Amino acid sequence: MSEEAQRFTQKLQDLQTRVQESTLPAEKKMAQCVLNCYNGSKDYTAVHDCAQQCQQKMQVIAKKIEGEMNSLQGSVQACQQSVMKRLEPQLQTARTDVALQKSLQAEYEQGVTRCIKEAEPLLPGIEARISGYLKEALRESAQGRGGGWRSGPRRGAAAAAPRTCSCGGPAGASGNG
């Protein structure tokens, strides 16, 4: 692996570590919401429906994060494939020519390095979007909107309804009513 590829791989691993660490507050909110489901009812179905509602927002965030990473990976792979496609016709000729094989290998590595250099500036934007997803989810949770992770007992007339989940979500399993 070239030095440029190793450096990019390290930057990507560092990004993934920061993303994992930044998900901890949202994961904690989700876990607190699930715990509240167990505190709010003894009915198996109600508790599990509530817990599923709590986990739903984190699943949405996880899909967004996965989409960001897959997009980056797809972009780099498409670039690498275009380099390979461009060199493919010459590879047929190079089967018996060792010097040409080495030359094509060097050209391929230069192309891959270019792909990495083109992808590297995308990393800060990816991290910013992921951070935004997490902040938005926590903000919605704090405001009690969006099927979030609102915790604590319900107040007022809605508390008398036979709802068991205090984490948000659709009526019948929600404390938002």
Side-chain angles (χ1 to χ4, degrees):
M1 187 183 309
S2 73
E3 184 179 319
E4 192 74 30
Q6 288 175 344
R7 194 172 60 74
F8 180 74
T9 300
Q10 185 60 51
K11 281 188 170 193
L12 197 54
Q13 288 172 345
D14 292 346
L15 169 65
Q16 289 172 329
T17 298
R18 287 191 305 275
V19 165
Q20 289 170 341
E21 290 170 353
S22 70
T23 64
L24 290 176
E27 290 175 6
K28 180 179 178 182
K29 278 281 199 188
M30 180 195 67
Q32 289 170 334
C33 177
V34 170
L35 180 61
N36 288 338
C37 294
Y38 287 90
N39 293 336
S41 176
K42 295 196 184 313
D43 178 73
Y44 177 87
T45 302
V47 169
H48 285 267
D49 287 348
C50 176
Q52 187 174 17
Q53 286 293 320
C54 294
Q55 294 167 354
Q56 185 177 2
K57 183 173 282 298
M58 198 64 212
Q59 291 169 350
V60 169
I61 292 169
K63 284 186 181 189
K64 288 180 177 182
I65 292 170
E66 182 181 5
E68 291 284 352
M69 296 305 203
N70 287 344
S71 177
L72 175 67
Q73 181 181 6
S75 176
V76 172
Q77 285 177 343
C79 181
Q80 289 174 332
Q81 288 173 353
S82 73
V83 170
M84 185 56 106
K85 281 284 186 195
R86 186 173 44 82
L87 297 175
E88 217 170 61
Q90 297 172 55
L91 289 172
Q92 300 301 323
T93 315
R95 287 186 181 192
T96 57
D97 187 343
V98 176
L100 183 55
Q101 288 175 7
K102 286 182 180 183
S103 171
L104 290 174
Q105 179 65 32
E107 193 172 337
Y108 175 75
E109 288 175 10
Q110 287 174 346
V112 169
T113 298
R114 179 183 47 82
C115 295
I116 289 169
K117 285 182 178 180
E118 289 174 0
E120 195 169 336
L122 302 175
L123 296 180
I126 290 170
E127 186 169 8
R129 284 190 298 276
I130 290 171
S131 178
Y133 303 148
L134 292 166
K135 285 178 184 174
E136 178 183 342
L138 289 171
R139 188 172 45 252
E140 286 178 1
S141 169
Q143 296 170 352
R145 301 189 337 242
W149 302 300
R150 199 177 93 200
S151 59
R154 293 179 312 280
R155 308 256 185 253
R163 298 176 181 170
T164 59
C165 182
S166 63
C167 59
S174 171
N176 290 343

